[in-house]
Amino acid sequence: VTLNPDAEFLNEMTKAAIRIQAHWRGFYTRNWNQKAKEIRCEIRLRRIQEHVEYLTEEVIRWRKECEEERIQRMVQEEAVKFLWNQVQSLQEWQMWMTQKQNVVLHPDAKECILPQHMFINSSECTPESFLLNNHLSPTSRQDTHL
């Protein structure tokens, strides 16, 4: 069913008037109605408060993660120190055993013969050089998982 041209025009004018009235009511309510302004302000403050709470939770979570990482790095450093002490103890034991074998095998020798290839030279081996030889830097050891 088609409307006559006057009815279509009247229908379009009614829709336009409704749209203009809706815009005017919205504008008037937003700018001049005190209760509406207060409600908008309350909504805005609630959203800000929710966002502050969210950010606070995020900060607490990040601090907790940072503290856990710091503790993990400390544990890893202690493990590296412990292992390094074990390596040094083994080197000392190996040197002692080699000297003892040299005395038993060569009792007439005036100087002990120490095979250098059997253990790490302690003057060349420090925790830092040990880490560097294994492609780790002292600062990157916190990234390793022991």
Side-chain angles (χ1 to χ4, degrees), residues 16-32:
I18 292 172
R19 185 174 291 167
I20 291 170
Q21 290 171 358
H23 283 285
W24 170 251
R25 280 192 305 270
F27 172 80
Y28 179 80
T29 301
R30 283 189 303 275
N31 294 300
W32 300 105

Side-chain angles (χ1 to χ4, degrees), residues 99-110:
Q99 287 175 349
K100 190 174 178 181
Q101 285 176 347
N102 284 341
V103 169
V104 170
L105 295 176
H106 305 288
D108 55 341
K110 294 182 181 176

Side-chain angles (χ1 to χ4, degrees), residues 37-140:
K37 282 177 140 182
E38 290 172 4
I39 291 173
R40 284 180 50 222
C41 186
E42 287 177 20
I43 291 171
R44 190 176 301 124
L45 288 175
R46 188 172 359 127
R47 286 180 182 162
I48 290 171
Q49 183 64 32
E50 289 172 356
H51 191 63
V52 166
E53 290 171 4
Y54 168 77
L55 292 176
T56 302
E57 290 172 2
E58 284 293 303
V59 166
I60 290 169
R61 185 178 63 81
W62 279 101
R63 282 183 181 170
K64 183 179 176 185
E65 285 181 14
C66 287
E67 181 63 19
E68 289 172 357
E69 289 175 6
R70 187 185 68 79
I71 290 170
Q72 184 180 15
R73 280 193 307 272
M74 283 180 21
V75 168
Q76 289 173 347
E77 285 181 17
E78 290 301 317
V80 168
K81 287 177 186 176
F82 173 78
L83 291 173
W84 178 246
N85 288 335
Q86 293 295 313
V87 167
Q88 287 180 329
S89 295
L90 284 172
Q91 287 176 342
E92 290 172 5
W93 175 81
Q94 189 176 22
M95 187 181 296
W96 179 77
M97 288 300 292
T98 304
Q99 287 175 349
K100 190 174 178 181
Q101 285 176 347
N102 284 341
V103 169
V104 170
L105 295 176
H106 305 288
D108 55 341
K110 294 182 181 176
E111 227 179 83
C112 288
I113 304 167
L114 301 175
Q116 295 295 321
H117 67 278
M118 291 181 64
F119 56 91
I120 302 170
N121 186 350
S122 61
S123 65
E124 296 174 353
C125 195
T126 63
E128 290 78 16
S129 66
F130 175 75
L131 292 170
L132 289 174
N133 289 336
N134 288 303
H135 307 291
L136 296 173
S137 67
T139 55
S140 70

Side-chain angles (χ1 to χ4, degrees), residues 1-17:
V1 178
T2 60
L3 300 174
N4 63 29
D6 291 333
E8 285 183 30
F9 178 73
L10 185 61
N11 191 22
E12 292 294 320
M13 292 301 286
T14 303
K15 288 181 182 178

